[in-house]
Amino acid sequence: MEDHQTQDLVKELVLRLVSGESGAGGRDAGGALRFAHRLLSSRLAPAVLPDEHALAESIKRRLAASGRPDDALAFADLHSKLSARSRPASLWPLLYLLDSLSSHRRGAAASSCLPNLPTAAPPTTAGGKPASRVPGTPLGGGVLLVSKDPDNIREIALREYTELVLDETEVSEAALVRDVLYACQGIDGRYVRYDKASDTYDLPDAVRVPRSTRTLVRKLCEVGWLFRKVRGFISDNVSRLPSDSATEVGTVAQAFCSALQEELSDYYKLLAVLESYSLNPIPTPGSDSGVSGNYLSLRRLVVWLAEPAVRMRLMAVLVDGCRGLRGGGMAGAIHGHAQHGDPMVQDFMGRLLRRVCSPLFEMVRSWVLEGELEDVFGEFFIVGQPVKAESLWREGYLIQSDMLPTFISPVLAQRILRTGKSINFLRVCCDDNGWAEAATEAAAYVGTTTSRGGLGYGQIDALEALVVEAAKRIDQRLMDVIHKRYRFKDHCLAIKRYLLLGQGDFVQYLMDVVGPELSEPANRISSFHLAGLLETAIRASDAQYDDRDILDRIKVKMMDHGDGDRGWDVFSLEYDARVPLDTVFTASVMKMYLKIFNFLWKLKRVDHSLTGVWKTMKPNCIVSSPFYKEGTSIRAQFVSVLRKCQVLFNEMNHFVTNFQYYIMFEVLEISWARFSEEMDAAKDLDDLLMGHDKYLTSIVEKSLLGERSLGILRNLFALFDIILQFRSHADRWFERIYELQLRGKGKSKTKSKETGSWLDGGRKAMIQLAGELFRKMGEDLDSIAKDYTASLDSFISQLPLQQHVDLKFLLFRLDFTEYYSRVSSSK
């Protein structure tokens, strides 16, 4: 007690209390003062809850019950005034001391009344001296006085027990305490040593100590065993060489070891205090009462090490659970032990996790606000891999699920991933730096600094708020760049118009100019010549008014071809989608566009072929034919063949027209309208990619190009081939008819000199050859019509089996009169 004023007050209080007892003022004042100093400097505390209000109310009730209401009121007034002056300090210790002194005085007054009771004379011996009394027997005629063991029977028994214990013990308790303290530091003592076989600290069997003492030593040495495990984990991680990449210690593991080392530093301080206490001798019964109370026995050591043992046990559990883990996985494993009901454990784990998770939260901050992966040791739950610019968004960054800590939800992790990806996409693919301002605004909006150390464990809500705000602003910046600078919607519309053949006049001109060239074998066609024809078609149509940048991206592509392939089989158009548009229009996406283009190109070719047939056999050409003016027989044969040809053409034209309408409007236009809405509503690049994938998938599925429509697609292509076959036959037929007409008029450019040839046969031979031609035409038409009807019936019968609902409308358009259904049912 360094305050002299306090010492004077304590001395004055002791003297007043001692002077109240008769004859004891000067004799026992020194001992009482020393006893008071020991009590005030000790760590002892009363076994009651420190409730100042309850104790004050108890004192007031006691005063009122004893017939002193004025004193009760005076006490209440003094207590309220003193409480107002001493706040925030509590008056409970003072009230408890005064109440205890009052209770002691009441007990002393009650015991002083006992000698006044009527008692018999004490027994005497023959010499008149008082006879000795057997301890425990009543005093003076059956009245037993309550006293504090005046004959020291308890002390004598305790001394005898101590002597028996010492007889059974070869080692003093002080030596065992010293060895236990050594064991708590992982050091072998003189008696207590570490046994590798049993993996524990223990006394050798040769050392003779009581069983209770041996058990107590083992219990205390558990702290040393736990300390040895924790220290070994720290040593193993610190001693690894940085050059060995296979055993490198990550920043999270380093922070974990640092936090453990800090906890061990507090543990070392406690052991230093305990070692100083262990130097004081342990008092025994009957020893000098002036021995210092700061001694250390085994039982006192149990109390001292109770709380450190809990912390050490928890650190050992964490060490065992974190072996083999790193980064976010280690932080998640430690976080799993923080879900505990003990406030002391919660406080300890929170303090530990703030240190451990500091590198992890710094990685999150750097990734979300700067787009940088500061992950030298591969500890972050986001990993980057070297890819081309076109694959940066889809494949450049991924989430490692084993590195994702449990206190970060998968939804939040995906948002963190997308935010950093957006920054890198803007920086690498778009060459834009506007994201930095957006990140700074997001951090300022949520009240978080962009510098290091702004976030930490326990601030998940703040982290989520920062990520949400940063993602919203950076994604908005990305959408602005994609739509305004790189004109994403314009390029999508250009692909629809030119690759999906939505620009009608351009497609018609292209068919007209490349048709003759594509009829040649594929190995004879020059792609450069086709590129010139493509440019001709662009200049001849309204496509010439489009942006030059868009038109320059349309190119001719010749697919791989084999023997017998024609130009129609290998010709296609492609669109050059450059960075950053190639993130959406990847190689696989453009392959799907190529598949759709080939399908639509074949459909357009079929429609163009039917248009050519109609031009050849239109009524004015037929009426002007000489065969139409001939005799009844050849005229009837001619008209019959032309009628069959016209009927078959109408059936084919009905199918192609309705199917083309379905593709161009029900499929392409409706899918584009929905994609346009999703494009405008997209909040980030993932939404844009998802909307485009749905748009492309919808076209593929509705156009019967999906994997589940392979059977009906084969029938559709069979119909296309039959129509093209009909066009080929029609061209050959009408070319023969036209040639016969020219021969009949004598206008043939070819003069045959062979005698007896049909050119020299005159009109009769011409009519005979025409009849033979018409008969052959009729047979060919019947064969083509039969194949076409069979393929069409098969196609229509398979339409109801398709899963897409829009195909039912196609069935209705093709068979709105139920003609084909009745024909099929009648067969």
Side-chain angles (χ1 to χ4, degrees), residues 715-730:
N715 287 329
L716 180 62
F717 283 159
L719 285 171
F720 288 168
D721 292 340
I722 293 173
I723 294 174
L724 293 176
Q725 182 184 6
F726 172 67
R727 165 65 192 271
S728 177
H729 280 70

Side-chain angles (χ1 to χ4, degrees), residues 364-365 367-369 381 408 411-420 442-443 446 448 455 460-475:
V364 174
R365 186 207 62 79
W367 173 253
V368 169
L369 298 180
F381 57 87
I408 296 180
V411 175
L412 180 58
Q414 287 290 342
R415 190 168 288 168
I416 293 172
L417 171 65
R418 193 185 70 242
T419 305
V446 299
T448 305
L455 296 171
I460 297 299
D461 293 338
L463 173 65
E464 187 168 2
L466 174 63
V467 172
V468 169
E469 190 62 28
K472 182 177 70 173
R473 294 176 182 270
I474 294 173
D475 287 337

Side-chain angles (χ1 to χ4, degrees), residues 433-455:
N433 295 322
W435 58 267
E437 183 179 354
T440 304
E441 292 175 355
Y445 180 82
V446 299
T448 305
T449 177
T450 56
S451 59
R452 295 177 178 267
L455 296 171

Side-chain angles (χ1 to χ4, degrees), residues 61 75 79 109 189 371 404 418 480 610 652-653 694 707 746:
R61 286 196 300 270
F75 171 78
H79 175 255
L404 180 62
R418 193 185 70 242
D480 291 343
L610 287 177
M652 292 180 175
N653 187 61
K694 287 172 58 178
E707 295 182 356

Side-chain angles (χ1 to χ4, degrees), residues 168-342:
E168 297 180 2
T169 306
E170 293 181 356
V171 184
S172 65
E173 187 174 6
L176 291 178
V177 168
R178 185 174 60 254
D179 277 17
V180 168
L181 290 177
Y182 287 158
C184 289
Q185 303 174 60
I187 304 172
D188 288 344
R190 182 177 179 183
Y191 303 103
V192 179
R193 296 178 178 275
Y194 178 74
D195 184 9
K196 293 183 179 180
S198 60
D199 189 25
T200 182
Y201 284 96
D202 199 359
L203 285 168
D205 295 335
V207 178
R208 187 161 55 89
V209 293
R211 181 180 300 175
S212 60
T213 303
R214 187 180 295 273
T215 303
L216 196 58
V217 168
R218 288 174 178 171
K219 180 180 180 181
L220 290 170
C221 288
E222 181 191 2
V223 180
W225 182 82
L226 296 171
F227 168 80
R228 183 186 180 93
K229 176 179 289 189
V230 174
R231 188 184 63 180
F233 177 82
I234 297 174
S235 300
D236 291 343
N237 284 275
V238 172
S239 62
R240 293 181 185 176
L241 294 176
S243 59
D244 188 0
S245 59
T247 59
E248 280 184 347
V249 181
T251 56
V252 174
Q254 293 175 14
F256 181 43
C257 292
S258 175
L260 292 178
Q261 190 64 50
E262 185 175 346
E263 294 295 330
L264 291 184
S265 298
D266 296 338
Y267 176 71
Y268 291 143
K269 294 177 184 178
L270 174 63
L271 290 182
V273 173
L274 294 180
E275 285 185 354
S276 66
Y277 287 170
S278 68
L279 299 178
N280 298 328
I282 301 175
T284 58
S287 62
D288 186 10
S289 60
V291 175
S292 173
N294 292 333
Y295 64 90
L296 195 62
S297 64
L298 290 176
R299 295 190 180 276
R300 286 195 172 193
L301 196 56
V302 170
V303 178
W304 276 102
L305 294 180
E307 185 175 336
V310 174
R311 289 200 296 268
M312 195 67 68
R313 191 176 294 113
L314 188 56
M315 285 191 287
V317 170
L318 294 178
V319 164
D320 287 338
C322 292
R323 291 191 185 276
L325 299 178
R326 56 197 317 225
M330 177 180 289
I334 298 174
H335 169 74
H337 293 85
Q339 313 305 311
H340 203 282
D342 189 345

Side-chain angles (χ1 to χ4, degrees), residues 788-803:
Y788 176 79
T789 303
S791 297
L792 183 61
D793 289 343
S794 177
F795 178 80
I796 291 177
S797 64
Q798 287 182 328
L799 278 179
L801 304 179
Q802 302 304 308
Q803 295 184 359

